[in-house]
């Protein structure tokens, strides 16, 4: 088999494009840790603006990775939860976290 037949995988490329957008990985990681309210997500992901968080959550909803749950109470409470599709990112997210802990210098994260 020629390497050019297997080097590019459209599904892999699409997955990286979806999860690799700025802030998306951090949002998914926070949701995996059961941070599920908008304000809490904003706190645990420093530097993330309200506008960008709204945009990324909407994109994740459109991809079927996150669901928005509106609790009919006063005041209205909204939560974001990972769907089964989103929960299955667990191993990939933590593999990347382990890799980053080993190979990404702390000063490179600022």
């Amino acid at each position: 088999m020629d390497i050019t037949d297997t080097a590019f995988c459209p599904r892999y490329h699409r997955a990286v494009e979806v999860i690799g957008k700025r802030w998306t990985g951090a949002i998914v990681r926070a949701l995996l840790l059961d941070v599920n309210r908008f304000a809490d997500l904003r706190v645990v992901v420093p530097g993330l603006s309200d506008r960008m968080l709204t945009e990324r959550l909407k994109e994740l909803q459109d991809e079927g990775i996150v669901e928005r749950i509106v609790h009919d109470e006063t005041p209205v409470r909204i939560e974001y939860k990972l769907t089964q599709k989103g929960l299955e990112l667990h191993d990939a997210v933590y593999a990347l976290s382990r890799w980053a802990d080993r190979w990404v210098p702390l000063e490179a994260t600022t």
Side-chain angles (χ1 to χ4, degrees), residues 30-77:
L31 290 166
L32 283 166
L33 294 170
D34 290 327
V35 178
N36 56 20
R37 304 279 308 270
F38 187 92
D40 296 335
L41 287 165
R42 204 177 58 232
V43 168
V44 300
V45 183
L48 178 58
S49 70
D50 288 358
R51 184 186 66 75
M52 185 59 66
L53 178 54
T54 299
E55 186 177 312
R56 291 297 182 256
L57 286 169
K58 177 70 173 113
E59 291 168 356
L60 289 167
Q61 288 174 68
D62 291 346
E63 291 290 337
I65 294 170
V66 168
E67 65 179 316
R68 182 178 186 260
I69 303 165
V70 179
H71 297 276
D72 190 21
E73 49 190 60
T74 306
V76 173
R77 183 170 51 96

Side-chain angles (χ1 to χ4, degrees), residues 17 31 42 59 84 101 109:
E17 292 293 311
L31 290 166
R42 204 177 58 232
E59 291 168 356
Q84 186 60 42
D101 287 344
T109 62

Side-chain angles (χ1 to χ4, degrees), residues 80-99:
Y80 297 89
K81 298 221 182 224
L82 293 169
T83 62
Q84 186 60 42
K85 182 178 178 179
L87 289 169
E88 290 189 23
L89 287 167
H90 179 273
D91 291 347
V93 168
Y94 284 99
L96 187 57
S97 290
R98 285 190 303 277
W99 179 86

